[in-house]
């Protein structure tokens, strides 16, 4: 169809050009000579007709050859492309797909053309895919989006699309790329931005965000809670005597014990749950939404006991671990800024450590900074 339109266009252009040239020469002969001279010029009409015919034939031959070359080149790009290239109709069916579709999804061309393309889309992405297809049909220009396809083996692939609809042809032209590996990297980077890479717990930034949210919730709705600051006793000694690998193993064991011994019943609220994080070094933190003083103290003592019972063997050496825990409470009537609350729990933790470690202390927020002075004196003695 394209070649026929091209040939018709060339034929029309050739006739128009020849007619214009002949008319110009005829008028010139009338202007500079006589009418008889102009009429005698009509003998050239057969020559012009033959020239036009030959020119059109040569032009059409050259054009057809060029068109065949372009079509061959386009077919090579279509078939050899590692990107998925397709033509789909507004009726929801693929009309043509390149081999990259089968290489990516495992379905043959016949299988892909025989079913609506929405059948291959992950169920959770079908509604959005239909919305994007509708946007293309409404003449929204080039549309870019991502969705998930399920291959013949049941595996999920993230596909990134660039599509444009041609309303006159009732078709959608699209190029797609499998970005599953890239999505996995993005998910892992997102996870690492919120989690400690050694223990897998939340990191300091994430804990601060959760704590700020919980304090804001408490100020608005009145429910309180508690935070626990946990520090591994003798961590420097473990590193110095057994090496940093042993220190890392000890930190991972602390993280495991803390997570395993934080129970749903430790919080009062029906939708609340505890949060465990590594703040850095050998320091950990727990957030207990809607826990009261008795609950916070019970959790702290349970954690101390659980770690004392754990056994960690490194290169044949059994390592017994202990932690010091400081707790601080907050509620609607006593809900200090996060930094002040963390400092209070931290001071209580150091009081437990200064008392010999392996214990827990509940912070007294009404005591102001007096506990810090006691901590400083005790730490001076220890250091």
């Amino acid at each position: 169809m394209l070649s026929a339109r091209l040939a018709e266009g060339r034929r029309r252009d050739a006739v128009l050009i020849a007619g214009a040239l002949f008319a110009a020469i005829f008028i010139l002969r009338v202007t500079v000579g006589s009418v008889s001279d102009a009429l005698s010029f009509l003998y050239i009409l057969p020559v012009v007709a033959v020239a036009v015919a030959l020119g059109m034939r040569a032009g059409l031959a050259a054009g057809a050859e060029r068109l065949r070359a372009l079509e061959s080149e386009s077919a090579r790009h279509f078939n050899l492309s590692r990107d998925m290239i397709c033509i789909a109709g507004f009726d929801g069916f693929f009309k043509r797909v390149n081999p990259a579709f089968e290489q990516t999804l495992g379905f043959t061309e016949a299988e892909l053309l025989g079913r609506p393309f929405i059948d291959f889309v992950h169920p959770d992405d079908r509604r959005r895919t239909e919305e994007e297809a509708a946007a293309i049909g409404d003449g929204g220009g080039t549309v870019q989006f991502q969705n998930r396809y399920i291959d013949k083996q049941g595996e999920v692939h993230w596909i990134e699309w660039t599509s444009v609809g041609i309303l006159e042809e009732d078709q959608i032209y699209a190029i797609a790329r499998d970005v599953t590996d890239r999505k996995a990297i993005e998910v892992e980077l997102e996870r690492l931005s919120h989690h400690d890479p050694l223990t897998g717990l939340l990191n300091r930034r994430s804990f601060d965000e959760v704590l700020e949210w919980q304090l804001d919730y408490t100020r608005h709705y009145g429910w309180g809670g508690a935070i626990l600051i946990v520090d591994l006793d003798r961590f420097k000694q473990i590193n110095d005597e057994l090496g940093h690998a042993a220190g890392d193993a000890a930190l991972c064991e602390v993280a495991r014990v803390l997570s395993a011994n934080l129970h749903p019943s430790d919080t009062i609220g029906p939708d609340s749950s505890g949060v465990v994080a590594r703040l850095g070094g050998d320091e950990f933190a727990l957030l207990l939404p809607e826990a009261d003083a008795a609950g916070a103290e019970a959790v702290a003592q349970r954690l101390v006991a659980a770690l004392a019972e754990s056994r960690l063997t490194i290169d044949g050496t059994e390592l017994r671990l202990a932690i010091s825990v400081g707790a601080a409470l907050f509620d609607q009537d006593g809900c200090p800024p996060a930094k002040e609350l963390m400092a209070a729990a931290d001071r209580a933790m150091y009081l437990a450590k200064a008392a010999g470690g392996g214990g827990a202390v509940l912070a007294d927020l009404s005591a102001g900074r007096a506990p810090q002075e006691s901590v400083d004196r005790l730490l001076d003695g220890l250091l």
Side-chain angles (χ1 to χ4, degrees):
M1 185 174 180
L2 177 61
S3 59
R5 288 202 301 266
L6 182 62
E8 179 63 27
R10 289 180 179 275
R11 185 179 298 107
R12 184 175 59 253
D13 292 344
V15 171
L16 290 175
I17 293 172
L21 289 173
F22 181 81
I25 296 174
F26 185 83
I27 292 171
L28 181 62
R29 291 297 297 266
V30 170
T31 302
V32 299
S34 63
V35 174
S36 59
D37 291 335
L39 292 175
S40 65
F41 182 66
L42 293 177
Y43 75 89
I44 202 171
L45 278 174
V47 178
V48 172
V50 172
V52 168
L54 292 176
M56 284 196 303
R57 183 176 300 174
L60 289 174
E65 183 64 28
R66 177 58 178 163
L67 183 60
R68 283 193 294 270
L70 288 174
E71 289 176 344
S72 177
E73 181 180 330
S74 176
R76 285 195 295 271
H77 282 295
F78 185 84
N79 292 321
L80 295 177
S81 175
R82 297 176 63 182
D83 288 333
M84 302 158 67
I85 305 174
C86 71
I87 301 173
F90 289 117
D91 60 359
F93 283 80
F94 288 118
K95 304 303 180 183
R96 189 180 177 195
V97 295
N98 73 336
F101 267 82
E102 182 174 356
Q103 295 165 9
T104 301
L105 301 177
F107 295 104
T108 64
E109 182 178 10
E111 290 172 323
L112 290 166
L113 300 186
R115 294 162 53 189
F117 56 70
I118 201 69
D119 286 358
F120 303 97
V121 178
H122 191 286
D124 293 344
D125 293 345
R126 288 179 180 176
R127 180 176 178 179
R128 179 165 179 266
T129 301
E130 290 172 339
E131 291 173 350
E132 297 291 353
I136 296 172
D138 291 338
T142 302
V143 174
Q144 295 179 320
F145 69 101
Q146 293 181 353
N147 63 4
R148 286 167 292 179
Y149 267 57
I150 300 177
D151 68 17
K152 199 168 186 176
Q153 304 302 319
E155 299 293 327
V156 175
H157 296 256
W158 275 98
I159 307 297
E160 186 174 71
W161 295 89
T162 300
S163 309
V164 63
I166 306 299
L167 301 181
E168 296 81 3
E169 299 180 14
D170 197 31
Q171 293 188 142
I172 301 171
Y173 294 82
I175 298 177
R177 179 169 296 181
D178 188 338
V179 294
T180 305
D181 292 340
R182 192 183 79 194
K183 291 291 290 188
I185 293 173
E186 291 175 355
V187 170
E188 180 62 14
L189 290 175
E190 176 66 16
R191 188 192 70 81
L192 290 175
S193 71
H194 293 282
H195 291 77
D196 172 51
L198 176 64
T199 64
L201 300 178
L202 291 181
N203 58 21
R204 177 63 181 262
R205 188 185 88 178
S206 296
F207 184 81
D208 288 344
E209 290 175 356
V210 174
L211 178 59
E212 288 287 0
W213 183 92
Q214 185 63 46
L215 293 178
D216 186 62
Y217 181 89
T218 297
R219 295 183 187 106
H220 282 83
Y221 300 103
W223 291 100
I227 63 168
L228 307 181
I229 298 295
V230 178
D231 193 83
L232 176 60
D233 296 334
R234 301 187 305 108
F235 180 63
K236 184 176 184 301
Q237 182 181 348
I238 295 172
N239 270 333
D240 292 344
E241 294 181 1
L242 300 177
H244 290 286
D248 288 346
L251 293 173
C252 290
E253 177 66 8
V254 172
R256 185 193 68 78
V257 171
L258 295 181
S259 299
N261 287 275
L262 186 61
H263 303 157
S265 59
D266 294 331
T267 58
I268 299 174
D271 298 323
S272 60
S273 60
V275 175
V276 187
R278 182 188 176 200
L279 302 183
D282 60 339
E283 194 169 60
F284 300 81
L286 292 88
L287 172 62
L288 307 178
E290 305 176 20
D292 56 13
E297 188 171 0
V299 172
Q301 294 296 345
R302 185 200 311 142
L303 297 177
V304 170
L307 201 65
E309 293 173 0
S310 71
R311 296 292 181 268
L312 180 63
T313 302
I314 300 176
D315 295 333
T317 301
E318 186 180 87
L319 188 62
R320 303 190 67 173
L321 303 176
I323 55 174
S324 297
V325 182
L329 301 173
F330 57 92
D331 56 31
Q332 188 178 28
D333 298 323
C335 191
K339 184 177 181 180
E340 183 178 331
L341 189 67
M342 292 282 287
D346 201 52
R347 290 195 298 269
M349 180 273 294
Y350 276 115
L351 285 173
K353 185 178 289 290
V361 172
L362 182 63
D364 182 5
L365 292 175
S366 65
R369 296 193 57 84
Q372 181 62 49
E373 298 172 2
S374 301
V375 171
D376 291 341
R377 287 196 298 271
L378 289 168
L379 288 179
D380 287 341
L382 289 174
L383 298 175

